[in-house]
């Protein structure tokens, strides 16, 4: 296994570097918008453009990869991401940043696709699950490290845009130094969204709720911390606490969801998010230590909703159409992610409080818990026995390509 992991060292390095730059840039932009005094609604609109770009990338990034190959395509996407990152410092206006965030979303999606299809193509079946887990762990690690880089320069200047641009440029080094193989993109399998929703409404609604919650965290939480007077160092640790606890908790949540009814596990997680979020909003928690602790708890819960929802969907489909179904769930997540900054900032404006973000999380997750219980009570969903549930797999939002590496896809390929 050590030898196998070593063979992917270049790609794993690219993943870590890429997500470190991405984690820094996303937090930096939200913080700068708050520092410049723009209304929360403006911040929400600008930052939602990135998620719209990710969604658009799912339709436009296949063609350049197929035409010029993975290494050249990665060079194009990495160069584009570097350029758009540096241009943020040149044109510091909401309109310009909205356009640049959209373009950056497209190029970022392309980088995801190249790396994930490369890993998928070159991973032997028996190692697929472990390589997948390492990839997910490195993704969270990179995002968490990126939060700490907020402390290496002046947030009010262009220094950190330059740092983020340099980091994205460094992604080119390990990939360009790799031997020139040409992995195939996994075949895109179409599936009816209505069919997936009818079969597993809980999986679809859970994925969309995860998009609404997670996107609001990355887009709006830095602005919230800045608005309530947190220093940049404190902001970095608050964000890192949530990301790292989200990573470590996924394995614990997976162990629980494999032993109990996964639908009820999702209800408990959503209800817990609603309770903690409501507690923060009502109590108006603004002290640093309390916020770090509570965001660590929220991170452990928030980042578990999507993988549990995906696992719940696969319980119903039993390995059939794994990649296509996962793609549908990812699309539902992406729709929620696009709308989330707009809806969250709108509620924050309506409540005239930056802590309205926690009221938004309360509403989203309380609704998910109640709707899921209603569907169960009315027998609107298929009940799956615990012993028939598929194995839980830690996940994060990236591109549909990584779904081909999902270990739950193996029984299908072996059949």
């Amino acid at each position: 296994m050590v030898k196998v992991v070593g063979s992917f060292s270049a790609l794993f390095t690219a993943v870590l570097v890429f997500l470190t730059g991405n984690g820094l840039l996303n937090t930096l932009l939200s913080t700068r918008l708050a520092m410049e005094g723009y209304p929360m609604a403006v911040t929400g609109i600008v930052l939602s453009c990135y998620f719209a770009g990710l969604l658009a990338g799912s339709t436009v990034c296949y063609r350049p990869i197929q035409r010029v190959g993975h290494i050249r395509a990665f060079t194009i996407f990495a160069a584009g991401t570097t350029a758009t990152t540096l241009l943020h410092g040149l044109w510091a206006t909401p309109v310009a940043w909205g356009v640049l965030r959209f373009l950056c979303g497209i190029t970022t999606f392309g980088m995801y696709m190249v790396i994930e299809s490369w890993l998928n193509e070159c991973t032997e079946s028996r190692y697929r699950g472990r390589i997948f887990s390492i990839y997910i762990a490195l993704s969270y690690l990179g995002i968490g490290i990126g939060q700490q880089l907020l402390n290496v320069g002046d947030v009010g200047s262009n220094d950190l845009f330059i740092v983020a641009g340099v980091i994205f440029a460094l992604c080119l080094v390990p990939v360009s130094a790799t031997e020139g193989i040409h992995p195939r993109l996994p075949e895109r399998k179409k599936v009816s969204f209505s069919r997936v929703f009818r079969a597993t409404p809980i999986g679809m609604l859970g994925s969309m709720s995860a998009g609404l919650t997670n996107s609001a965290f990355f887009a709006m939480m830095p602005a919230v911390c800045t608005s309530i007077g947190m220093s940049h160092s404190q902001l970095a640790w608050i964000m890192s606490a949530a990301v790292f606890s989200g990573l470590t908790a996924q394995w614990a949540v997976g162990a629980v969801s494999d032993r109990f009814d996964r639908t009820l596990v999702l209800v408990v997680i959503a209800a817990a998010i609603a309770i903690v979020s409501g507690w923060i909003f009502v109590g108006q928690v603004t002290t640093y230590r309390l916020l770090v602790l509570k965001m660590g708890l929220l991170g452990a819960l928030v980042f578990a909703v999507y993988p549990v929802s995906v696992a719940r969907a696969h319980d119903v489909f039993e390995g059939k159409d794994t990649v296509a179904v996962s793609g549908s769930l990812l699309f539902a997540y992406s729709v929620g992610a696009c709308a989330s900054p707009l809806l969250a900032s709108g509620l924050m404006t309506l409540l005239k409080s930056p802590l309205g973000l926690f009221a938004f999380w309360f509403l989203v997750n309380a609704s998910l818990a109640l709707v899921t219980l209603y569907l169960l009570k009315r027998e609107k969903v298929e009940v799956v026995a615990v012993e028939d549930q598929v194995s839980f797999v830690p996940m994060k939002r990236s591109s549909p390509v990584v779904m081909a590496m999902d270990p739950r896809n193996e029984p299908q390929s072996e059949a």
Side-chain angles (χ1 to χ4, degrees):
M1 185 62 194
V2 174
K3 184 177 180 181
V4 172
V5 173
S7 67
F8 288 114
S9 59
L11 287 177
F12 284 151
T13 300
V15 169
L16 184 62
V17 174
F18 161 42
L19 269 301
T20 297
N22 205 36
L24 169 61
L25 181 59
N26 289 338
T27 301
L28 173 61
L29 286 168
S30 182
T31 306
R32 275 289 297 271
L33 285 164
M35 287 179 59
E36 297 292 337
Y38 291 111
M40 285 294 179
V42 172
T43 299
I45 293 171
V46 171
L47 298 179
S48 68
C49 291
Y50 171 73
F51 300 99
L54 288 174
L55 191 57
S58 64
T59 63
V60 303
C61 289
Y62 271 88
R63 184 169 297 178
I65 296 175
Q66 290 172 330
R67 288 188 62 184
V68 303
H70 281 64
I71 293 179
R72 290 180 179 177
F74 188 87
T75 301
I76 293 170
F77 294 134
T81 304
T82 301
T84 54
T85 299
L86 295 174
L87 286 173
H88 281 83
L90 183 60
W91 297 318
T93 66
V95 173
W97 279 6
V99 173
L100 291 172
R101 290 312 287 150
F102 179 78
L103 295 175
C104 194
I106 294 175
T107 56
T108 296
F109 190 90
M111 294 170 73
Y112 273 128
M113 287 190 69
V114 171
I115 291 173
E116 290 170 359
S117 59
W118 207 322
L119 288 171
N120 174 61
E121 177 74 10
C122 300
T123 304
E124 294 182 33
S125 177
R126 55 182 172 155
Y127 297 122
R128 191 173 297 274
R130 280 171 283 184
I131 294 297
F132 182 91
S133 296
I134 292 171
Y135 170 71
I136 297 299
L138 286 174
S139 297
Y140 275 101
L141 180 61
I143 293 171
I145 293 173
Q147 311 307 312
Q148 294 302 313
L149 292 182
L150 204 66
N151 298 313
V152 303
D154 180 7
V155 176
S157 70
N158 293 333
D159 294 352
L160 291 179
F161 287 119
I162 296 173
V163 171
V166 169
I167 292 173
F168 283 125
L170 289 175
C171 291
L172 287 164
V173 177
V175 172
S176 300
T178 308
E179 293 182 5
I181 62 171
H182 299 281
R184 295 173 298 170
L185 283 170
E187 181 183 353
R188 289 199 281 184
K189 299 180 180 180
K190 294 183 178 180
V191 67
S192 169
F193 292 115
S194 60
R195 175 194 166 206
V196 176
F197 185 81
R198 286 194 302 270
T200 174
I202 291 176
M204 290 287 278
L205 292 173
S207 296
M208 185 172 291
S209 298
L212 287 166
T213 305
N214 296 7
S215 173
F217 167 74
F218 288 112
M220 303 307 300
M221 192 62 200
V224 170
C225 291
T226 302
S227 298
I228 63 177
M230 295 293 170
S231 69
H232 298 143
S233 175
Q234 291 173 331
L235 160 61
W237 281 110
I238 289 170
M239 298 292 290
S240 294
V243 172
F244 288 138
S245 64
L247 168 62
T248 55
Q250 285 209 29
W251 279 269
V253 170
V256 172
S257 73
D258 284 343
R259 289 170 173 77
F260 298 95
D261 184 341
R262 193 161 279 149
T263 304
L264 295 180
V265 171
L266 184 61
V267 170
V268 171
I269 292 173
I273 295 172
I275 290 170
V276 177
S277 299
W279 180 21
I280 296 175
F281 175 68
V282 173
Q284 295 291 296
V285 176
T286 56
T287 62
Y288 170 61
R289 291 185 179 180
L290 273 178
L291 199 53
V292 168
L293 290 174
K294 291 181 180 179
M295 285 308 301
L297 177 58
L298 271 178
L301 297 166
V302 162
F303 292 111
V305 173
Y306 181 57
V308 171
S309 300
V310 173
R312 177 64 179 87
H314 289 306
D315 291 338
V316 175
F317 281 88
E318 299 177 343
K320 297 176 292 183
D321 300 321
T322 301
V323 176
V325 170
S326 294
S328 299
L329 298 172
L330 180 59
F331 181 80
Y333 179 105
S334 300
V335 170
C338 286
S340 177
L342 295 173
L343 296 175
S345 62
L347 184 60
M348 293 160 71
T349 301
L350 182 65
L351 295 174
K352 298 180 180 179
S353 170
L355 295 183
L357 174 62
F358 297 97
F360 175 73
W361 284 342
F362 170 82
L363 292 174
V364 170
N365 289 280
S367 299
L368 175 61
L370 292 173
V371 169
T372 301
L373 286 174
Y374 171 81
L375 292 173
L376 280 173
K377 184 177 180 180
R378 296 292 182 178
E379 297 182 344
K380 299 287 185 180
V381 297
E382 181 178 338
V383 178
V384 179
V386 174
E387 58 270 17
D388 294 329
Q389 292 182 162
V390 300
S391 298
F392 175 91
V393 176
M395 298 192 73
K396 70 175 289 294
R397 187 253 185 268
S398 55
S399 83
V401 175
V402 78
M403 303 305 178
M405 289 185 63
D406 191 328
R408 290 171 294 215
N409 193 38
E410 288 308 301
Q412 178 185 0
S413 61
E414 292 171 0

